[in-house]
């Protein structure tokens, strides 16, 4: 039984050790580097230099084999951080207790930063003033011809590493919440169209999340698009104005959203998407009078020579329509005036090529006009600008960002709010007062030692002209 | 026109300052060092005005084109050095390295196009400013840490040497200050990554996308994280610590500047102008 307990104790001590966390971090670094190589491997490179080819040779072909080791490492890291944090709290408490205790002259002399000097009189007042000036909360004890001091500065600094460790728990809790609650979807809206938040209404949507998967049912209608380019393909501004209703149909008002300025509705963030263009309303009617209305999307050209084309299949037939859009509306978009000029007719028209059963037919439909082909009447009923949106719901994000803030705070406290502990003894000796003072700190010890020596030198010279003895 | 006038004045001041610091180091004359310091401060102010004028003219911070990136990097390096010298005078000799580097950067900047780049809406974000400032601060502090590591190694290899090595702080203090700068750089690196993640979340709805440059920056963070861990766990200091700082900096140069130049990911346009 005792042997078992000993094993358990050894395992726990290894799991909580700093060496173990160092190894875990090293392995994590190697896994992340592997991810970086995989990411760069998939980017097209024209004549990559030898060192990139060599690096890519070290990378796997897919990140999938890394998933289990990555999560395994994270789990072990959490165990290590948890156990280490427990140990750390015990150590901090012990340190706090030790600082409250006085030290004798011999033990102060053993400290790496210490000084010894004598003053003619008022050594106690001199040290009290020094501690006060430095913002050190010092306590004093007198007895046996001696006055002892002990004090601490920046005591909160002891907790910095714990904050730092806790931040990883918060970040990982946020990441877990993210995995459980995140979903994202894309949708396009033409001016005047309304989108109701429900899984079925997205053009593309990720798998439903495990938690809070219900539709939010709020609605937004696109009222206006503010789109302009520096030149074709170089976006200058992309913003939209929408009118928003809550799930009960209550109008929440008109809102603006733009790139870098998403809109939050009922926990869902709506981002301005990058796709934009026109939606043509096309009505197809057969000889029996059956009608079908379709929306055909045309994306804005990124280059002067690029055409606005789309391909659709007529429902219930084997006919495929190859469509090319010409519209003077293109010239109305800032920065695309030159492209609009190419569309000489200055009206909206569709050039139609119908392909079906080895027959090809070409024709043109003007806006509001129609075209008969293979017994089907095609009508070009509308043309409206559209823009795209990206919606994401992720309850983990604020937790993750909170963890980041804690991480930075922990680092700042750990390294720039470093605790300093001071001890001093003043002893009456042959009409003079001997002062022995010492201090310890946890980080940047050499600079601290140098600074402490300078301070003691100043104190000694201020103390009736005496000098440092040791 | 006014901007380029201030730019050239700053460049001239930096050249004068470099001569002052090098002269101070070589001949151990205080007068040279004072001239170097005065010209560095004057150059930093003139350069700051040039950058502000550029900012006002193009409507965005100086971080888009090669000219802007190099110019602002030089300004951050000089500002950082002036601040360091003000707080800790014993580092004045570092000016002999920093000031020539600053005017060389400014010279290289003039080879890049000065044309105002058209700013896409994704780059119009306050988070970008935070991201860029902390990236520059991280590189500046890690660069100075490398200088301290080199001075440490020189001092350790020739403990009895006189000349400029004798005028530097003790090897132990160099090691300590280098450590402090790595810590500062690491915190700046953390703020850079975090602000980048917040900006990505605001722009694209995704705070992390495993983009190549983004992932390499995380690797750099882990490399420096391991250094800080090693200082505590294995009591790394002295020679081991100095070589680690030098190697880690070369690795971060590869990750931040060399790889994005060849691997055209999300960051390429911002990082290499």
């Amino acid at each position: 039984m005792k042997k078992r307990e000993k094993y358990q104790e050894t395992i726990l001590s290894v799991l909580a050790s700093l060496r173990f966390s160092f190894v875990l971090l090293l392995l994590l670094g190697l896994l992340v580097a592997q991810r970086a190589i995989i990411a760069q491997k998939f980017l097209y490179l024209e004549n990559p230099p030898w060192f990139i080819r060599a690096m890519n040779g070290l990378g796997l072909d897919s990140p999938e084999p890394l998933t289990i080791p990555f999560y395994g490492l994270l789990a072990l890291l959490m165990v290590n951080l948890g156990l280490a944090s427990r140990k750390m709290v015990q150590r901090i408490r012990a340190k706090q207790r030790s600082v409250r205790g006085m030290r004798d002259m011999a033990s102060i002399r053993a400290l790496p930063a210490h000084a010894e000097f004598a003053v003619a009189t008022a050594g106690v007042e001199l040290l009290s003033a020094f501690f006060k000036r430095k913002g050190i909360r010092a306590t004093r004890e007198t007895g046996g011809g001696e006055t002892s001091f002990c004090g601490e500065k920046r005591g909160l600094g002891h907790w910095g590493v714990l904050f730092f460790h806790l931040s990883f728990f918060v970040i990982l809790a946020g990441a877990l919440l993210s995995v459980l609650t995140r979903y994202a979807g894309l949708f396009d809206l033409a001016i005047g169209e309304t989108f109701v938040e429900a899984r079925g209404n997205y053009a593309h949507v990720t798998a439903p999340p495990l938690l809070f998967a219900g539709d939010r049912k709020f609605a937004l209608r696109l009222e206006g698009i503010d789109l302009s380019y520096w030149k074709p393909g170089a976006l200058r501004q992309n913003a939209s104005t929408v009118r928003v209703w809550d799930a009960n149909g209550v109008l929440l008002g008109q809102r603006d959203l733009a790139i870098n300025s998403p809109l939050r509705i009922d926990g869902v963030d709506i981002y301005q998407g990058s796709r934009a263009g026109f939606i043509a309303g096309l009505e197809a009617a057969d000889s029996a009078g059956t009608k079908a209305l379709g929306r055909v999307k045309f994306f804005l050209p990124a280059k002067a020579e690029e055409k606005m084309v789309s391909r659709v299949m007529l429902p219930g037939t084997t006919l495929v329509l190859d469509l090319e859009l010409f519209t003077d509306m293109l010239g109305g978009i800032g920065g695309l005036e030159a492209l609009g000029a190419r569309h000489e007719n200055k009206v909206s028209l569709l050039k139609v090529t119908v392909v079906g059963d080895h027959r090809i037919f070409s024709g043109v439909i003007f806006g509001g006009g129609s075209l008969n082909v293979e017994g089907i009447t095609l009508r070009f009923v509308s043309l409206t600008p559209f823009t795209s949106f990206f919606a994401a719901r992720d309850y983990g994000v604020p937790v993750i960002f909170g963890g980041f803030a804690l991480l930075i705070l922990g680092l700042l406290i750990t390294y720039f709010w470093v605790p300093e502990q001071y001890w001093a003894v003043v002893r009456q000796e042959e009409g003079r007062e001997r002062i022995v003072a010492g201090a310890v700190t946890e980080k940047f010890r050499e600079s601290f030692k140098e600074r402490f020596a300078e301070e003691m030198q100043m104190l000694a010279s201020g103390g009736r002209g005496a000098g440092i003895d040791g | 026109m006014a901007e380029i006038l201030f730019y050239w004045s700053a460049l001239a001041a930096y050249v004068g300052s470099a001569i002052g610091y090098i002269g101070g180091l070589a001949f151990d004359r205080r007068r040279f060092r004072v001239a170097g310091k005065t010209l560095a401060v004057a150059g930093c102010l003139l350069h700051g005005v040039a950058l502000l004028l550029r900012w006002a003219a193009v409507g965005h911070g100086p971080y888009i084109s090669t000219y802007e990136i190099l110019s602002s990097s030089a300004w951050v390096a000089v500002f950082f050095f002036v601040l360091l010298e003000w707080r800790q005078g014993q580092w004045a000799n570092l000016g002999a390295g920093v000031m020539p580097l600053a005017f060389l950067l400014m010279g290289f900047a003039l080879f890049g196009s000065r044309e105002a780049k058209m700013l896409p809406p994704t780059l119009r974000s306050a988070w970008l400013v935070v991201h860029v400032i902390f990236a520059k601060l991280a590189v500046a502090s890690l660069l100075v840490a490398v200088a301290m590591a080199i001075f440490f190694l020189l001092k350790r290899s020739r403990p009895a040497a006189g000349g400029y090595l004798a005028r530097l702080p003790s090897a132990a203090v160099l090691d300590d200050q280098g450590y402090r700068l790595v810590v500062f750089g690491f915190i700046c690196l953390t703020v850079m990554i975090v602000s980048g993640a917040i900006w990505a979340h605001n722009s694209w709805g995704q705070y992390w996308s495993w983009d190549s440059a983004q992932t390499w920056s995380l690797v750099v963070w882990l490399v420096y994280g391991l250094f800080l861990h090693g200082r505590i766990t294995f009591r790394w200091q002295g020679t081991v610590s100095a070589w680690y700082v030098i190697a880690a900096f070369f690795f971060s140069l590869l990750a931040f500047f060399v790889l994005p130049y060849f691997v055209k990911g999300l960051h390429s346009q911002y990082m290499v102008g």
Side-chain angles (χ1 to χ4, degrees), chain B:
Chain B
M1 183 61 197
E3 178 220 332
I4 201 75
L5 201 73
F6 276 102
Y7 189 89
W8 276 102
S9 310
L11 203 147
Y14 288 166
V15 172
S17 166
I19 293 170
Y21 280 115
I22 293 170
L25 193 64
F27 306 113
D28 196 19
R29 292 279 164 85
R30 195 177 162 270
R31 256 193 311 181
F32 277 112
R33 273 196 290 272
V34 170
K37 186 180 175 179
T38 313
L39 284 169
V41 172
C44 192
L45 288 172
L46 292 165
H47 194 175
V49 174
L51 288 173
L52 284 175
L53 288 172
R54 171 84 187 176
W55 196 321
V58 299
H60 58 75
Y63 41 70
I64 304 298
S65 66
T66 310
Y67 165 75
E68 291 166 354
I69 290 170
L70 291 179
S71 170
S72 54
S73 297
W75 185 82
V76 171
V78 174
F79 181 75
F80 198 73
F81 165 69
V82 167
L83 212 67
L84 188 77
E85 199 193 337
W86 173 56
R87 294 286 295 166
Q88 295 184 345
Q90 74 265 38
W91 297 112
N93 286 333
L94 220 58
V98 174
M99 297 318 294
L101 189 76
F103 77 69
L104 280 177
L105 277 177
M106 286 179 83
F108 281 128
L110 289 169
F111 285 108
S113 167
R114 293 193 57 251
E115 190 192 342
K117 280 271 174 87
M118 296 165 293
L119 199 66
T122 40
L123 295 192
R124 272 176 248 143
S125 166
W127 287 109
L128 172 67
V129 180
V130 178
H131 184 66
V132 171
I133 286 175
F134 279 91
K136 285 182 189 299
L137 279 175
V139 174
S141 52
L142 296 174
L143 179 69
V144 181
V146 167
M148 291 198 183
I150 292 170
F151 281 134
F152 170 86
L153 291 172
L154 287 172
K155 213 160 165 131
R156 178 58 62 95
S157 65
R158 285 182 289 167
Y164 74 94
L165 282 179
R167 287 192 287 280
L168 288 170
S170 68
V173 172
L174 278 170
D175 178 60
D176 218 32
Q177 295 287 356
Y179 175 34
R180 196 186 279 258
L181 278 164
V182 171
V183 166
F184 182 73
F186 182 73
I187 292 173
C188 290
L189 211 56
T190 311
V191 178
M192 179 198 89
I193 294 173
V194 168
S195 57
I198 297 173
W199 173 34
H201 175 71
N202 264 3
S203 270
W204 309 307
Q206 209 168 2
Y207 51 86
W208 195 263
S209 55
W210 295 105
D211 161 58
S212 143
Q214 201 179 35
T215 314
W216 279 121
S217 71
L218 181 61
V219 178
V220 171
W221 188 84
L222 286 166
V223 165
Y224 281 105
L226 275 173
F227 171 76
L228 300 184
H229 206 309
R231 291 263 332 188
I232 296 167
T233 312
F234 302 110
R235 306 265 169 213
W236 283 348
Q237 48 188 352
T239 311
V240 175
S241 168
W243 280 114
Y244 193 109
V245 168
I246 295 168
F249 186 72
F250 279 101
F251 177 71
S252 58
L253 283 186
L254 178 81
F256 288 149
F257 297 101
V258 180
L259 288 174
Y261 186 80
F262 293 104
V263 184
K264 305 291 178 197
L266 276 173
H267 277 73
S268 306
Q269 56 169 322
Y270 324 134
M271 294 177 86
V272 294

Side-chain angles (χ1 to χ4, degrees), chain A residues 11-32:
Chain A
I11 289 168
L12 279 177
S13 118
V14 168
L15 285 174
S17 70
L18 278 170
R19 279 163 197 265
F20 185 59
S21 79
F22 184 89
V23 171
L24 291 177
L25 265 185
L26 182 69
L27 292 174
L28 198 63
L30 291 173
L31 282 185
V32 177

